[in-house]
Amino acid sequence: MTLPTLPPDVDEIVPGVVADRRYLHENPELGFDEHVTSKFVVERLEALGAEDIQSGIAGTGVTALIHGTRGEGKCVLLRADMDALPILEETPVEFASQNPGVMHACGHDGHTAMLLGVARILTERRDQFPGSVKLCFQPSEEANAGGAKPMIEAGVLENPHVDACFGQHVMSDRPTGEVWVGGGPIQASADMFTITVQGKGGHGAIPHTAIDSIMVASDIVSGLHKIVSRNIDPLDPVVISVCSFHSGTAFNVIPDTAELKGTVRTFSPENRDLAEKRLKEVAEGVAAAQGATVTIDYDRGYPPTINDDAMSALAAASIAKIVGEDNVKPMVPIMPAEDMSYFLEERPGCYFMTGCGNEEKGIVWPHHHPRFDLDEDVLGIGVAALAQVAIDYLNAES
Ligand code: NI
């Protein structure tokens, strides 16, 4: 596809953004261990003349401010995640990971490099906006004990008070040049559960004297799969998956315990509450009916990522200025969770998906794959798009 013509100031810095991305790609670090990355980000921000640079937030997080010269105004937060994954890289690129077993296989190297590019553009365009831009480089998105929540708890949404949040994720299954934007729920929540069934052990040949934990747990698995089909509105999707089932050690012993582990994914707070409530009722009820008991450990992970409608409309209009209206696509929700959700729970905003796939270049591998790569042509597009969103937001009425 034809790539958009970038604004001249963005076009000029693209080689620098590419170089930053390659440096970050070569030096990937796992969540909360982004020390080299964080230091690199701070050095770049210092060189640019960004203000109020703060590091060590929630471990390795970094924030900085860029003040516009058009007077007082709102504050918009732009967020990038910095962490890599525990994957042994298998790409042929010359800037492959120098840290064996750790790889930027989700494009967060691109996110970080692009936000540094945005910082560079906005420091040069201070005369185009009032208020301020808060740059937020977040540790650990991948671990599901992510960096967004502790950064918020550390106060990144205040001083100055943040009014809206924006960010982007590259997507290798969508072509470079297209951007996917839309309001409403865009990514699912990710909760985890462990159900331990306590029955009564016994001889495999004398089952009537035992309470068979395997059979109780099997019935619970079967019951859990009925929650989605019978209790959940089919127009608001939910996934409940039991992904681990452990019990027993011998062919002739009925085990007294069984353990189930799984995940629950939802797109709305209402369904999230309902799925948790029903899961507990089903597990407890099924166990009670057979004389067993259960202990349930239900652990809430990332909430659903929900974009604000008005902020998404604003972002779509801004991004259209960069890639053209035809290349702004309506957002298609995806099941994987994302801790940008915490920012969007606290403030209105929009998280959009920037295509980074390119079949001609062989950039077709999915995220979290050892051969994942991003088409570097996305970098300039992402910089121009996010900078435009920030400028338009700060100049908007109200
Ligand atoms: Ni990611």
Side-chain angles (χ1 to χ4, degrees), residues 79 81 83 85 105-108 111 141-142 169-171 337-338 351 367-368:
R79 174 268 203 180
D81 42 14
D83 59 322
L85 287 154
C106 198
H108 300 187
H111 303 167
E141 185 279 324
E142 299 286 3
H169 203 301
V170 294
M171 279 289 146
E338 161 64 65
Y351 195 53
H367 291 251
H368 296 205

mmCIF file of all heavy atoms in Angstrom, residues 79 81 83 85 105-108 111 141-142 169-171 337-338 351 367-368, ligand 1:
data_model
loop_
_atom_site.group_PDB
_atom_site.id
_atom_site.type_symbol
_atom_site.label_atom_id
_atom_site.label_comp_id
_atom_site.label_asym_id
_atom_site.label_seq_id
_atom_site.Cartn_x
_atom_site.Cartn_y
_atom_site.Cartn_z
ATOM 1 N N ARG A 79 1.223 7.531 26.699
ATOM 2 C CA ARG A 79 1.847 6.392 27.377
ATOM 3 C C ARG A 79 2.487 5.407 26.399
ATOM 4 O O ARG A 79 1.927 5.091 25.357
ATOM 5 C CB ARG A 79 0.778 5.701 28.227
ATOM 6 C CG ARG A 79 1.192 4.408 28.895
ATOM 7 C CD ARG A 79 0.865 3.217 28.004
ATOM 8 N NE ARG A 79 0.728 1.978 28.757
ATOM 9 C CZ ARG A 79 0.442 0.809 28.211
ATOM 10 N NH1 ARG A 79 0.247 0.719 26.907
ATOM 11 N NH2 ARG A 79 0.311 -0.267 28.950
ATOM 12 N N ASP A 81 4.699 1.543 26.687
ATOM 13 C CA ASP A 81 5.234 0.488 27.561
ATOM 14 C C ASP A 81 6.633 0.105 27.079
ATOM 15 O O ASP A 81 6.960 0.242 25.908
ATOM 16 C CB ASP A 81 4.299 -0.724 27.635
ATOM 17 C CG ASP A 81 3.701 -1.106 26.283
ATOM 18 O OD1 ASP A 81 4.194 -0.623 25.241
ATOM 19 O OD2 ASP A 81 2.748 -1.905 26.262
ATOM 20 N N ASP A 83 8.594 -2.898 28.222
ATOM 21 C CA ASP A 83 9.132 -4.229 28.549
ATOM 22 C C ASP A 83 9.127 -5.205 27.376
ATOM 23 O O ASP A 83 8.365 -5.073 26.426
ATOM 24 C CB ASP A 83 8.368 -4.839 29.730
ATOM 25 C CG ASP A 83 6.862 -4.982 29.449
ATOM 26 O OD1 ASP A 83 6.283 -4.096 28.807
ATOM 27 O OD2 ASP A 83 6.281 -5.993 29.891
ATOM 28 N N LEU A 85 9.757 -9.677 26.359
ATOM 29 C CA LEU A 85 9.169 -10.966 26.741
ATOM 30 C C LEU A 85 10.251 -12.039 26.923
ATOM 31 O O LEU A 85 11.314 -11.968 26.291
ATOM 32 C CB LEU A 85 8.201 -11.426 25.654
ATOM 33 C CG LEU A 85 6.885 -10.664 25.584
ATOM 34 C CD1 LEU A 85 6.307 -10.712 24.184
ATOM 35 C CD2 LEU A 85 5.906 -11.242 26.594
ATOM 36 N N ALA A 105 9.170 -8.911 21.469
ATOM 37 C CA ALA A 105 8.331 -9.654 20.528
ATOM 38 C C ALA A 105 6.908 -9.120 20.511
ATOM 39 O O ALA A 105 5.993 -9.780 20.022
ATOM 40 C CB ALA A 105 8.333 -11.134 20.888
ATOM 41 N N CYS A 106 6.712 -7.919 21.072
ATOM 42 C CA CYS A 106 5.362 -7.343 21.032
ATOM 43 C C CYS A 106 5.394 -5.925 20.493
ATOM 44 O O CYS A 106 4.364 -5.280 20.363
ATOM 45 C CB CYS A 106 4.723 -7.386 22.414
ATOM 46 S SG CYS A 106 2.925 -7.185 22.379
ATOM 47 N N GLY A 107 6.596 -5.427 20.205
ATOM 48 C CA GLY A 107 6.686 -4.090 19.609
ATOM 49 C C GLY A 107 6.835 -2.960 20.605
ATOM 50 O O GLY A 107 6.763 -1.794 20.229
ATOM 51 N N HIS A 108 7.062 -3.286 21.886
ATOM 52 C CA HIS A 108 7.175 -2.217 22.877
ATOM 53 C C HIS A 108 8.452 -1.389 22.657
ATOM 54 O O HIS A 108 8.521 -0.238 23.101
ATOM 55 C CB HIS A 108 7.128 -2.782 24.297
ATOM 56 C CG HIS A 108 5.855 -3.527 24.605
ATOM 57 N ND1 HIS A 108 5.537 -4.002 25.854
ATOM 58 C CD2 HIS A 108 4.799 -3.880 23.810
ATOM 59 C CE1 HIS A 108 4.360 -4.610 25.824
ATOM 60 N NE2 HIS A 108 3.893 -4.563 24.588
ATOM 61 N N HIS A 111 7.104 1.216 20.576
ATOM 62 C CA HIS A 111 6.296 2.175 21.339
ATOM 63 C C HIS A 111 7.186 3.189 22.049
ATOM 64 O O HIS A 111 6.911 4.393 22.050
ATOM 65 C CB HIS A 111 5.431 1.461 22.389
ATOM 66 C CG HIS A 111 4.507 0.420 21.829
ATOM 67 N ND1 HIS A 111 3.858 -0.501 22.627
ATOM 68 C CD2 HIS A 111 4.132 0.140 20.553
ATOM 69 C CE1 HIS A 111 3.099 -1.283 21.863
ATOM 70 N NE2 HIS A 111 3.262 -0.915 20.606
ATOM 71 N N GLU A 141 4.308 -4.221 31.041
ATOM 72 C CA GLU A 141 2.915 -4.418 30.629
ATOM 73 C C GLU A 141 2.573 -5.888 30.530
ATOM 74 O O GLU A 141 1.438 -6.290 30.742
ATOM 75 C CB GLU A 141 2.676 -3.731 29.267
ATOM 76 C CG GLU A 141 1.229 -3.756 28.785
ATOM 77 C CD GLU A 141 0.820 -5.063 28.137
ATOM 78 O OE1 GLU A 141 1.664 -5.679 27.450
ATOM 79 O OE2 GLU A 141 -0.313 -5.503 28.330
ATOM 80 N N GLU A 142 3.561 -6.727 30.209
ATOM 81 C CA GLU A 142 3.300 -8.120 29.843
ATOM 82 C C GLU A 142 2.978 -9.042 31.018
ATOM 83 O O GLU A 142 2.399 -10.103 30.819
ATOM 84 C CB GLU A 142 4.510 -8.717 29.097
ATOM 85 C CG GLU A 142 4.862 -8.003 27.802
ATOM 86 C CD GLU A 142 3.886 -8.299 26.665
ATOM 87 O OE1 GLU A 142 2.898 -9.008 26.893
ATOM 88 O OE2 GLU A 142 4.131 -7.801 25.552
ATOM 89 N N HIS A 169 -0.741 0.863 20.200
ATOM 90 C CA HIS A 169 -0.059 -0.422 20.113
ATOM 91 C C HIS A 169 0.097 -0.783 18.646
ATOM 92 O O HIS A 169 -0.871 -0.693 17.890
ATOM 93 C CB HIS A 169 -0.842 -1.512 20.849
ATOM 94 C CG HIS A 169 0.029 -2.666 21.270
ATOM 95 N ND1 HIS A 169 0.751 -3.432 20.360
ATOM 96 C CD2 HIS A 169 0.336 -3.158 22.489
ATOM 97 C CE1 HIS A 169 1.436 -4.347 21.024
ATOM 98 N NE2 HIS A 169 1.218 -4.202 22.320
ATOM 99 N N VAL A 170 1.317 -1.178 18.259
ATOM 100 C CA VAL A 170 1.497 -1.654 16.884
ATOM 101 C C VAL A 170 0.817 -3.020 16.756
ATOM 102 O O VAL A 170 0.689 -3.758 17.730
ATOM 103 C CB VAL A 170 2.995 -1.762 16.513
ATOM 104 C CG1 VAL A 170 3.634 -0.382 16.486
ATOM 105 C CG2 VAL A 170 3.750 -2.687 17.456
ATOM 106 N N MET A 171 0.359 -3.339 15.542
ATOM 107 C CA MET A 171 -0.341 -4.603 15.285
ATOM 108 C C MET A 171 0.180 -5.215 13.991
ATOM 109 O O MET A 171 -0.007 -4.647 12.911
ATOM 110 C CB MET A 171 -1.846 -4.346 15.124
ATOM 111 C CG MET A 171 -2.585 -4.209 16.419
ATOM 112 S SD MET A 171 -2.724 -5.786 17.285
ATOM 113 C CE MET A 171 -2.641 -5.205 18.964
ATOM 114 N N ALA A 337 -5.459 -8.878 27.071
ATOM 115 C CA ALA A 337 -5.633 -7.746 27.982
ATOM 116 C C ALA A 337 -4.436 -6.808 27.913
ATOM 117 O O ALA A 337 -3.400 -7.144 27.341
ATOM 118 C CB ALA A 337 -5.815 -8.256 29.407
ATOM 119 N N GLU A 338 -4.600 -5.658 28.525
ATOM 120 C CA GLU A 338 -3.629 -4.565 28.356
ATOM 121 C C GLU A 338 -3.778 -3.640 29.561
ATOM 122 O O GLU A 338 -4.910 -3.282 29.910
ATOM 123 C CB GLU A 338 -4.013 -3.861 27.044
ATOM 124 C CG GLU A 338 -3.507 -2.490 26.821
ATOM 125 C CD GLU A 338 -1.986 -2.426 26.728
ATOM 126 O OE1 GLU A 338 -1.388 -2.998 25.786
ATOM 127 O OE2 GLU A 338 -1.410 -1.794 27.621
ATOM 128 N N TYR A 351 -6.978 4.366 23.210
ATOM 129 C CA TYR A 351 -5.834 3.528 22.875
ATOM 130 C C TYR A 351 -6.100 3.015 21.465
ATOM 131 O O TYR A 351 -7.155 2.433 21.208
ATOM 132 C CB TYR A 351 -5.775 2.368 23.871
ATOM 133 C CG TYR A 351 -4.471 1.610 23.905
ATOM 134 C CD1 TYR A 351 -3.269 2.280 24.076
ATOM 135 C CD2 TYR A 351 -4.446 0.224 23.787
ATOM 136 C CE1 TYR A 351 -2.068 1.585 24.127
ATOM 137 C CE2 TYR A 351 -3.248 -0.474 23.846
ATOM 138 C CZ TYR A 351 -2.067 0.223 24.021
ATOM 139 O OH TYR A 351 -0.880 -0.468 24.074
ATOM 140 N N HIS A 367 2.284 -11.352 17.227
ATOM 141 C CA HIS A 367 2.902 -10.864 18.461
ATOM 142 C C HIS A 367 3.212 -12.050 19.382
ATOM 143 O O HIS A 367 2.496 -13.048 19.393
ATOM 144 C CB HIS A 367 1.963 -9.887 19.175
ATOM 145 C CG HIS A 367 1.806 -8.596 18.409
ATOM 146 N ND1 HIS A 367 2.342 -7.407 18.828
ATOM 147 C CD2 HIS A 367 1.202 -8.330 17.222
ATOM 148 C CE1 HIS A 367 2.063 -6.458 17.937
ATOM 149 N NE2 HIS A 367 1.365 -6.990 16.954
ATOM 150 N N HIS A 368 4.285 -11.927 20.133
ATOM 151 C CA HIS A 368 4.757 -12.939 21.097
ATOM 152 C C HIS A 368 5.334 -14.174 20.383
ATOM 153 O O HIS A 368 5.474 -15.221 21.007
ATOM 154 C CB HIS A 368 3.658 -13.350 22.095
ATOM 155 C CG HIS A 368 3.207 -12.224 22.977
ATOM 156 N ND1 HIS A 368 2.648 -12.420 24.224
ATOM 157 C CD2 HIS A 368 3.246 -10.879 22.821
ATOM 158 C CE1 HIS A 368 2.350 -11.243 24.766
ATOM 159 N NE2 HIS A 368 2.701 -10.296 23.923
HETATM 160 NI NI NI B 1 2.115 -5.541 23.708
#
